[in-house]
Amino acid sequence: MARNDILSAEGIRTFLCKPLSGCEIYVHGEIDSTNAECKRLALNGSGDFTIVIADRQTSGRGRLGRTFYSPSHTGLYMSLVLKPKADLSGAVLLTTASSVAVCKAIENVTSLSPSIKWINDIYLNGKKICGILTEAISDIESNAVDSVIVGIGINVSTAAGDFPKELQDVAGSLSASGKVNRCRLAAEIVNQLYLLYENLDAAVFIEDYKSRSMVLGQPVYYIKNNVKYCATATGITSTGGLIVRNEDNSTDILSSGEITLRLNRTEKTV
Ligand code: BTN
């Protein structure tokens, strides 16, 4: 960890855009999960753009019930409480918007060029460097969204050999040199998301999403109703769905779930 890379609320606030300068920021040395903490805060009335960051998570959560490896000093584990004026489908757009915001922030802070693997994994040099977990708190009766929690986990400077064995082939880091300032990166992600969130409209960011997509034109596998399909990813819809062409030339639109890229004719689950 670089000497100046200490996470602090004031360090993050310095880099936030003016409209966000008063938002609540909580920085923890260690916590179970920043998403879990945001949920607790949201249920206790915390407002839009409440930011929770931890240096280490003891129960970092990933999509589909997986865990997210969250060692100390070398990652950025951040969650936001958002209060979108949107229904559940509008809130889903926040996942796509978050991927774009993370890529733009990385580009601005490091000059690196990450890619997006549908729906919202961020890759660099063929390895996953960031995962995003979006969760909603909604009112069951009215279906109205009370809060959306966007959780972002970035391997900032984790050395290749420090990942658990099962992740070593698939996980990577932004920079092994430890030169990325995590406060600046965190604030830039929040700033970029704020720009998209103000008038949440896929038309504004879907081209930015597509231009960073690593799956378009690629052969993929996906599973639907327990059937495995071989297909080619051919497009992204205006709301972030993945358009695939199956081997029998039929077309499908995937709106959630997972795909596996078929790289060099060997399966690579990422
Ligand atoms: C995935 O790749 O499956 C999503 C991973 C999301 C991890 C982040 S780290 C910050 C936030 N807190 C969590 O417990 N999970 C998200």
Side-chain angles (χ1 to χ4, degrees):
M1 181 177 60
R3 230 174 249 271
N4 64 352
D5 191 33
I6 293 177
L7 288 171
S8 73
E10 283 328 302
I12 293 162
R13 211 180 292 283
T14 322
F15 295 107
L16 283 178
C17 59
K18 224 177 177 162
L20 294 176
S21 58
C23 67
E24 294 172 63
I25 306 177
Y26 300 95
V27 176
H28 299 266
E30 178 181 295
I31 201 164
D32 52 352
S33 148
T34 55
N35 263 38
E37 176 65 4
C38 270
K39 272 194 196 166
R40 295 188 282 263
L41 289 169
L43 292 171
N44 276 316
S46 278
D48 212 12
F49 277 88
T50 295
I51 303 172
V52 176
I53 298 201
D55 189 49
R56 169 172 187 259
Q57 296 183 115
T58 53
S59 305
R61 302 203 318 240
R63 294 180 60 230
L64 307 172
R66 290 191 284 242
T67 56
F68 188 79
Y69 179 61
S70 313
S72 53
H73 304 322
T74 61
L76 178 62
Y77 318 115
M78 171 170 76
S79 301
L80 304 172
V81 176
L82 300 176
K83 301 270 179 184
K85 299 171 209 72
D87 60 11
L88 208 49
S89 65
V92 169
L93 277 184
L94 276 170
T95 298
T96 319
S98 301
S99 310
V100 173
V102 168
C103 283
K104 287 191 168 182
I106 291 174
E107 289 159 13
N108 292 348
V109 170
T110 69
S111 303
L112 296 166
S113 301
S115 311
I116 304 171
K117 181 183 159 254
W118 185 84
I119 298 176
N120 56 357
D121 287 338
I122 312 295
Y123 275 67
L124 190 67
N125 302 324
K127 299 215 163 164
K128 176 169 165 175
I129 57 157
C130 166
I132 301 174
L133 176 66
T134 312
E135 300 177 279
I137 301 174
S138 59
D139 182 313
I140 294 180
E141 279 175 19
S142 66
N143 210 20
V145 174
D146 172 77
S147 311
V148 173
I149 312 297
V150 176
I152 297 164
I154 304 182
N155 306 322
V156 176
S157 58
T158 314
D162 288 348
F163 286 107
K165 278 237 155 13
E166 66 277 14
L167 293 181
Q168 287 192 357
D169 279 350
V170 288
S173 280
L174 259 188
S175 142
S177 66
K179 291 227 173 84
V180 178
N181 178 322
R182 288 179 298 169
C183 287
R184 181 166 171 224
L185 180 60
E188 185 62 13
I189 292 169
V190 180
N191 290 342
Q192 291 295 332
L193 188 57
Y194 178 75
L195 289 174
L196 302 177
Y197 175 82
E198 275 291 272
N199 295 300
L200 192 62
D201 177 0
V204 172
F205 58 79
I206 207 72
E207 289 308 319
D208 282 330
Y209 183 93
K210 281 187 199 170
S211 65
R212 291 168 177 81
S213 171
M214 63 188 273
V215 304
L216 288 182
Q218 296 295 320
V220 294
Y221 290 118
Y222 67 97
I223 293 175
K224 195 170 175 180
N225 301 330
N226 288 325
V227 179
K228 185 174 178 181
Y229 293 87
C230 265
T232 302
T234 57
I236 306 279
T237 68
S238 59
T239 52
L242 184 70
I243 307 170
V244 292
R245 193 182 58 243
N246 295 315
E247 283 184 320
D248 64 2
N249 258 337
S250 61
T251 295
D252 224 332
I253 295 178
L254 313 182
S255 57
S256 64
E258 292 249 295
I259 55 167
T260 301
L261 282 174
R262 294 187 282 144
L263 298 175
N264 299 327
R265 302 202 175 278
T266 54
E267 282 186 42
K268 187 167 182 187
T269 305
V270 282

